[in-house]
Amino acid sequence: MPYEPLNISTPVPVLSWANHELGYEELKMAKNVAALPFVFKHVALMPDVHLGKGALVGSVIATKDTIIPAAVGVDIGCGMAAVKTPYSADQLEGKLKKIRSDLEAMIPVGFNENKDVDKTAGNWQGWSSFKDLHKGVQDLKSKAMKQMGSLGGGNHFIEVCVDTENQVWLMLHSGSRNIGNVLAQCHINSAKELAKMTNTYLPDPDLAYFVAQSPAFAAYWHDLQWAQNYARYNRDVMMARFKKIVEKHLAGGKPMKPLLEVNCHHNYAEKEVHFGEEVYVTRKGAVRAQSEDYGIIPGSMGAKSYIVKGKGNAHSYCSCSHGAGRLMSRNKAKNQFSLDDLLAQTQGVECRKDRGILDEIPGAYKPIEQVMENQADLVEIVATLKQVVCVKG
């Protein structure tokens, strides 16, 4: 489905790839962003768009000489990693419980961290510049080092998947953990304080921003890039452990040669050129989909996921959705669905089956097939996956 301009009066248009009308609060959030004087050209909303903080999750915002910390969000660099293995689905028979057990033993989830700093994590070159980060995180280095190689909670997950050709894939979703969250909060608060000091009018306090060339902008941009790199490397560390576990069970420990590897952010900002101008592009719950870019669009646990290749659609700022997108809040999902619903909707998946993850039930998310149909002009599907093991925090 091609985009449709929202029927709202704003200084720049809002183009939507969602096939549904936005609710009052969602429209208000879209209007607030599109009303900012530095927003470039238009705002793009992906098919999985839903309420966020300050800006909609599933929005792509290009800005001239400014950056909005809350639009990037608190899980800086959150994203996906996937590996296509040389193994076939029949090799998994009888081994799913053991693989899940090893994953839960080897990769900390939720608020947990590694007991010791992983050797690979300790060698990350980003530690050398930790002292240059915001003063609000200077006592968190030890925690950040131990959390490198950990999953987190919420909608973060580790999955063994099988594609339509019975090939086994490894997939995981995680971000910059506590260190990214604290860095983001420090800079969001600084932006809000700056707006108050300068009497800057904002339609929403969460849209407080920094102006390029200012010390505050430079500090945030430095920390943002650091956290994005931390998040990417965090996924690399976990994926290395994931590979070893699967190699142990499917190949007697013999190292495998991946057939395809993808690692992409979906909560981040970068400087890019669009419509002939250099702008700062914030993807809040969106994946870069330049021509030939590989991306990952997961469904909910129990639903399909997709490996895609970008088509470089200029109107979306070369972007696509980052998942199915929530249909309802976590509290509403817990109130509306039962444990029996969870069991039915995750049938055939080796995963937790308890009330602790009821808010992640597939029914709480939009149908991924419809989301994919709505962005046929943004990406082409390379592989369609279905999970057989899912680990959550």
Side-chain angles (χ1 to χ4, degrees):
M1 181 195 91
Y3 66 82
E4 292 180 349
L6 292 186
N7 187 23
I8 55 177
S9 178
T10 48
V12 297
V14 178
L15 311 183
S16 175
W17 273 260
N19 71 339
H20 62 279
E21 288 188 16
L22 300 187
Y24 173 79
E25 290 298 326
E26 292 170 316
L27 279 174
K28 183 180 178 183
M29 201 165 274
K31 285 180 181 179
N32 288 344
V33 171
L36 296 171
F38 47 81
V39 171
F40 175 72
K41 197 79 174 171
H42 60 263
V43 176
L45 304 182
M46 300 296 98
D48 59 339
V49 66
H50 57 279
L51 282 175
K53 191 169 184 179
L56 292 163
V57 177
S59 61
V60 185
I61 308 162
T63 52
K64 294 287 287 183
D65 299 323
T66 54
I67 194 78
I68 309 166
V72 177
V74 294
D75 195 357
I76 298 171
C78 184
M80 300 282 306
V83 169
K84 183 179 183 180
T85 77
Y87 310 128
S88 58
D90 61 315
Q91 292 176 264
L92 292 169
E93 192 170 343
K95 300 171 183 174
L96 300 184
K97 284 186 182 295
K98 292 178 181 177
I99 291 173
R100 177 190 163 199
S101 178
D102 281 358
L103 283 169
E104 290 174 340
M106 291 291 291
I107 300 176
V109 301
F111 292 106
N112 297 328
E113 58 191 39
N114 297 287
K115 290 181 181 178
D116 299 299
V117 177
D118 181 286
K119 182 180 178 181
T120 305
N123 290 335
W124 181 50
Q125 61 183 16
W127 300 124
S128 63
S129 59
F130 192 93
K131 62 185 183 300
D132 300 322
L133 297 177
H134 193 285
K135 62 181 181 181
V137 303
Q138 288 305 310
D139 60 344
L140 297 179
K141 185 174 182 179
S142 176
K143 184 179 183 69
M145 292 183 80
K146 287 183 178 179
Q147 282 198 329
M148 175 77 83
S150 66
L151 186 69
N155 62 354
H156 292 165
F157 62 78
I158 305 168
E159 291 182 344
V160 178
C161 303
V162 175
D163 68 17
T164 51
E165 297 177 350
N166 280 326
Q167 207 77 24
V168 174
W169 289 71
L170 315 182
M171 189 163 71
L172 58 85
H173 172 205
S174 190
S176 53
R177 306 298 285 110
N178 176 255
I179 188 68
N181 185 323
V182 178
L183 274 174
Q185 295 289 0
C186 287
H187 289 288
I188 289 169
N189 291 337
S190 294
K192 288 180 177 179
E193 289 170 11
L194 187 62
K196 284 182 182 177
M197 286 171 55
T198 55
N199 293 316
T200 302
Y201 168 74
L202 292 168
D204 182 337
D206 282 314
L207 295 177
Y209 57 88
F210 295 131
V211 179
Q213 310 305 322
S214 69
F217 182 102
Y220 175 64
W221 192 254
H222 170 271
D223 291 1
L224 178 71
Q225 300 305 310
W226 187 94
Q228 287 174 183
N229 290 334
Y230 177 101
R232 184 183 296 277
Y233 200 78
N234 181 43
R235 292 191 288 273
D236 286 339
V237 173
M238 284 188 286
M239 186 58 78
R241 293 184 198 171
F242 195 177
K243 287 178 188 173
K244 285 184 178 179
I245 291 168
V246 172
E247 286 164 355
K248 180 182 85 170
H249 289 285
L250 304 190
K254 182 182 177 182
M256 70 167 166
K257 187 176 181 180
L259 304 180
L260 179 66
E261 296 181 274
V262 186
N263 192 336
C264 57
H265 297 317
H266 54 226
N267 279 1
Y268 74 113
E270 290 290 355
K271 188 184 286 188
E272 298 177 0
V273 175
H274 291 277
F275 300 98
E277 294 193 45
E278 193 170 70
V279 291
Y280 292 96
V281 177
T282 296
R283 294 186 176 92
K284 186 182 181 76
V287 178
R288 195 184 74 175
Q290 293 179 0
S291 182
E292 301 301 305
D293 269 350
Y294 280 100
I296 306 166
I297 304 176
S300 58
M301 56 188 294
K304 295 175 184 176
S305 294
Y306 297 87
I307 307 297
V308 298
K309 191 181 285 186
K311 291 186 175 181
N313 187 307
H315 297 289
S316 71
Y317 298 109
C318 299
S319 309
C320 66
S321 85
H322 80 312
R326 292 197 73 90
L327 192 59
M328 61 183 71
S329 70
R330 293 186 181 278
N331 284 334
K332 186 175 181 181
K334 287 177 181 177
N335 292 330
Q336 182 163 324
F337 294 105
S338 67
L339 190 56
D340 286 340
D341 293 325
L342 179 67
L343 293 172
Q345 293 183 30
T346 60
Q347 190 173 5
V349 182
E350 176 59 42
C351 64
R352 286 175 60 186
K353 311 272 186 179
D354 57 72
R355 294 185 182 278
I357 58 166
L358 202 53
D359 54 348
E360 283 294 302
I361 190 171
Y365 286 83
K366 297 174 184 177
I368 188 66
E369 293 85 357
Q370 184 64 57
V371 169
M372 295 307 296
E373 187 178 320
N374 292 351
Q375 57 188 332
D377 58 334
L378 305 183
V379 293
E380 64 173 290
I381 296 171
V382 173
T384 302
L385 317 181
K386 179 69 175 68
Q387 68 279 88
V388 290
V389 174
C390 179
V391 171
K392 278 186 175 286

